Amino acid sequence: MPARVLFGINVAFGFLVWGVVAWYYIWPAVRHRPRAEALRPLLLLHAFRFVGLAFLIPGVVSPNLPAAFARPAAYGDLLTATLALLSLATLKTRGGIILVWAFNVIGTSDLLYAFYVADRVGVGQDPGLQGAAYFIPTALVPLLIITHGIVFRLLLQRKGW
């Protein structure tokens, strides 16, 4: 089976499994909590997005991994992790909601842009270029996109902190 197909199957299963986890466990655990309390574990999860810097580490990824993909993915993840931590620190302040919105819009855009660029520069054609970082788009990114959706829902659904 071609590597592109195997990669696609991995990503699809990541979305499927994390979707089931979100449906049965994450959403029921946060939906009735006060918004700040519901957002806290989701922001903590995204604070680990510094792991995206792995796309810049030789030996973790192939030296042939296109920089047009690696740099924006890595630095976008670092920015998102920073915004998640700042959002946590200000969660119950007036400016907190602005930071959570910024975190969520920027973080979601970063992930969608990474998929777009990866496809454009051929990372999907040769997923082995990602080396040990292969687990990021196959196992972590589906979880991150799904939890961004949950954050959007919490932001739009609830009034007050």
Side-chain angles (χ1 to χ4, degrees), residues 2 5 23-24 36 38 41 49 83 85 89 94 110 120 128 133 146 155:
V5 173
W23 181 264
Y24 285 106
R49 288 193 45 191
L83 288 170
L85 289 171
R94 289 183 169 220
D110 168 57
R120 191 175 57 98
I146 288 168
L155 288 170

Side-chain angles (χ1 to χ4, degrees), residues 23 26-34 38 150 153-154 157-158:
W23 181 264
I26 299 172
W27 180 245
V30 300
R31 71 179 176 191
H32 295 301
R33 292 181 177 189
I150 292 171
R153 187 164 178 185
L154 290 168
Q157 151 177 323
R158 303 226 179 138

Side-chain angles (χ1 to χ4, degrees), residues 108-128:
T108 303
S109 300
D110 168 57
L111 295 172
L112 296 176
Y113 182 72
F115 270 119
Y116 166 74
V117 172
D119 185 60
R120 191 175 57 98
V121 300
V123 174
Q125 294 292 335
D126 188 4

Side-chain angles (χ1 to χ4, degrees), residues 54-119:
F55 286 121
L56 300 177
I57 301 173
V60 174
V61 297
S62 167
N64 297 325
L65 182 66
F69 164 76
R71 285 191 183 118
Y75 293 123
D77 279 350
L78 183 60
L79 174 60
T80 302
T82 302
L83 288 170
L85 289 171
L86 290 172
S87 295
L88 272 170
T90 62
L91 201 52
K92 293 190 176 191
T93 69
R94 289 183 169 220
I97 192 164
I98 295 168
L99 278 173
V100 174
W101 273 102
F103 146 77
N104 215 40
V105 169
I106 290 169
T108 303
S109 300
D110 168 57
L111 295 172
L112 296 176
Y113 182 72
F115 270 119
Y116 166 74
V117 172
D119 185 60

